Amino acid sequence: MNGTTRIPRKPLDGIYGGILKFAMKKKMGSVPEGAEVMWHHPAIFKDSMKFGAKVEKWDKLDRTLATLAAMAAAAEIGCSFCLDFHYFLAHDKGLDESKAREVPRWRESDAFTPVERRVMEYAVAMCQLPVAVTDELAAALLEDLGAAGLLELTSRVGMMNMTARGNVALGIRSAEFAEACGLAPLAAPSRPVVSAS
């Protein structure tokens, strides 16, 4: 791929594009290349952003668990953009950065509680083809999180699957948000993952 996306980037233009560009630069320091790829179809871009904003308002799952699940799914799929972005968001939300940093090697790390491990195991199992969630794991998480929490976990991981797989397919890679805000590099994955980079 030689460091390029599979669809060329298109500068955000027009009034709405200008507003988005300003907001992204203010929040993240730059406009991610993925935004410029998606700008070829503004309706998809806008609707994806709206849905992502709605997902962030869901509140039946602890914010740390939601972040760990999203990052574990992103790591499993190999989406460096999603992994880096959610690490940045963990920092931005004031969550435990040292835990977020360990997600790529969560199986070997001693940073996580049993519930956090089950959440990441579930996220990874949902990313398998075919889906590898067991009755035992689902039952344990139902006990841990309640029905609404487990449903939210499932929906968040499903959303991450769609986003991460799309980014990998389009060749959208990390925008180095974590590095730009001075976060320690993510821990090395415990095993190789397929990546677009």
Side-chain angles (χ1 to χ4, degrees), residues 28-197:
M28 300 175 272
S30 65
V31 176
E33 71 178 2
E36 293 180 326
V37 168
M38 296 299 290
W39 197 245
H40 284 283
H41 198 315
I44 291 175
F45 184 61
K46 292 174 192 176
D47 289 345
S48 296
M49 285 184 50
K50 286 178 191 173
F51 186 61
K54 288 182 180 189
V55 168
E56 286 304 309
K57 291 180 181 176
W58 295 344
D59 63 358
K60 302 303 181 194
L61 184 65
D62 173 83
R63 289 183 330 153
T64 295
L65 295 177
T67 297
L68 296 177
M71 290 181 70
E76 184 66 19
I77 292 166
C79 181
S80 63
F81 176 86
C82 300
L83 192 56
D84 174 58
F85 183 63
H86 282 274
Y87 185 31
F88 165 79
L89 287 179
H91 165 76
D92 198 46
K93 294 175 186 176
L95 302 179
D96 186 340
E97 294 167 20
S98 62
K99 275 191 181 185
R101 181 183 181 282
E102 289 290 306
V103 170
R105 58 177 299 272
W106 68 270
R107 289 174 182 88
E108 291 79 33
S109 175
D110 60 2
F112 303 106
T113 68
V115 172
E116 291 167 342
R117 288 182 181 288
R118 283 191 288 277
V119 163
M120 289 185 286
E121 180 183 351
Y122 187 85
V124 167
M126 275 189 66
C127 295
Q128 304 303 306
L129 296 174
V131 173
V133 173
T134 65
D135 290 342
E136 295 77 19
L137 179 57
L141 283 167
L142 182 59
E143 179 75 23
D144 293 332
L145 309 174
L150 181 54
L151 183 58
E152 183 175 325
L153 171 62
T154 304
S155 298
R156 282 179 179 271
V157 173
M159 174 67 171
M160 179 50 65
N161 259 275
M162 180 189 77
T163 303
R165 290 181 188 281
N167 285 344
V168 170
L170 292 171
I172 297 169
R173 286 165 295 288
S174 171
E176 308 300 335
F177 294 126
E179 182 180 322
C181 62
L183 294 174
L186 284 161
S190 56
R191 60 187 172 83
V193 293
V194 177
S195 177
S197 40

